[in-house]
Structures are given as C-alpha cells and as structure tokens.
Amino acid sequence: EQEREVLTWDLYGRAARELAQTVADSGFVPDVVLGIARGGLIPAGSLAYALGCKNLFTISVEFYTGVDSRLDVPVMLPPFLNAHDLDEASVLVVDDVADTGRTLELVADFCSGHVREMRTAVLYEKPQSVITCDHVWKRTSRWINFPWSTEPPVANRSGVLDA
Ligand code: 5GP
C-alpha cells in the first residue's frame, strides 16, 4: 500500500495561513466563505479568520464512507442552504481536499447562477480532480490523514450510561 500523506495539527496551522495568503494575494475578497461539511469546516473557519471575513456558511455533502470507498454520487444533506442567500455574493468555497473533485463540482453547480463570483480553495488537490481549484496548498496522489479525522471519536469513559 502506498504511504499516506500526513497533515499534523502543527503543520495545519501553517498550511491554513499560507492558503489564505494566496487568496489575499490574488486580490479576491470574499463576502462569504462557504465550507463543505464536515472536512472543509475547519479550513473554512481558519480561512474566514485569516481573510477577515465574518460571513461563514456551510453546506453538507456526503460522498466517502471510508478510505477510498464512496457512494455512487455525492449527495447534499440537510439542513439545506438556500442558494438565494448567495445571490450576488463573492463566495470562497472551501474543502479539505479535491480528490475526484465531484463534491466541489456539486457545490459549484449549486452556487452558479446565484453568486457574483466564486473561487475554490483546498488544502490538497489530487491529479484526477474534475475541478481545477483556484487555490491549493499542496498536491498529492496519496490518501491524506487529516488531524481532525485520524483518531476515532472519543468514547465515554465515565461509566455514566446514556440517558
Ligand atoms: P471528492 O468529492 O473530491 O472525491 O472528495 C470529497 C471528500 O472526500 C473530501 O472533502 C474528503 O472529506 C474526502 N476525501 C477524499 N480524499 C480523501 C483523502 O485522501 N483523505 C481523507 N481523509 N478524506 C478524503
């Protein structure tokens, strides 16, 4: 098996600032940062702070069910964002990684026809992505371990049973 690409929390802090810097340097000033849940939420929050943007929206899309195992098509999950909330906005769409790129493609289609301008920013982009992102921190073809999803959820160790 191919070695994994590992992003640590330490490295993540630098990655987020560097990614934000490339957006700032491009001259694009987003009215709205739109993070794709769940993987894109932490990068979206970091970029919103780094870019001084207070409008942070989220959209929930599910595609992957495990390492390299996915549904047939990415699907939007409720609660649904009203596309009219993005009318005439400059939107920065943020995700953790563009792998097949189909999640970002779905969100881009959802936004188009509403937004004034749209840019995409990801920490990683893989060579097979159907979307070419505007801002990419690093390119890889490996499976990536992100710091927020590498460990399993914490378990209740208190002995107190669920109500
Ligand atoms: P895509 O639609 O571009 O194939 O990927 C959608 C989502 O799948 C990503 O936002 C991410 O949450 C998950 N994903 C895809 N590739 C990887 C990977 O290499 N590592 C991890 N941890 N998640 C991935």
Side-chain angles (χ1 to χ4, degrees), residues 5-124:
E5 176 82 30
V6 176
L7 182 64
T8 61
W9 280 117
D10 266 9
L11 191 53
Y12 169 69
R14 189 142 50 83
R17 287 296 292 195
E18 288 175 2
L19 184 58
Q21 190 66 58
T22 70
V23 178
D25 291 346
S26 76
F28 184 67
V29 179
D31 302 312
V32 170
V33 172
L34 175 60
I36 307 177
R38 288 178 294 172
L41 290 190
I42 293 170
S46 300
L47 289 188
Y49 269 110
L51 295 169
C53 177
K54 291 185 176 179
N55 295 317
L56 183 53
F57 289 16
T58 73
I59 189 166
S60 201
V61 179
E62 183 166 80
F63 195 14
Y64 283 73
T65 51
V67 175
D68 267 331
S69 65
R70 48 186 174 248
L71 309 171
D72 293 336
V73 292
V75 288
M76 246 179 257
L77 300 178
F80 299 115
L81 177 67
N82 186 338
H84 286 296
D85 293 342
L86 302 174
D87 280 343
E88 294 307 311
S90 294
V91 180
L92 182 66
V93 180
V94 181
D95 209 350
D96 49 0
V97 47
D99 187 315
T100 65
R102 292 180 64 200
T103 298
L104 269 162
E105 183 182 49
L106 178 76
V107 174
D109 289 349
F110 175 84
C111 293
S112 70
H114 291 274
V115 302
R116 179 154 44 95
E117 266 191 290
M118 183 180 59
R119 299 281 191 282
T120 50
V122 292
L123 291 167
Y124 293 93

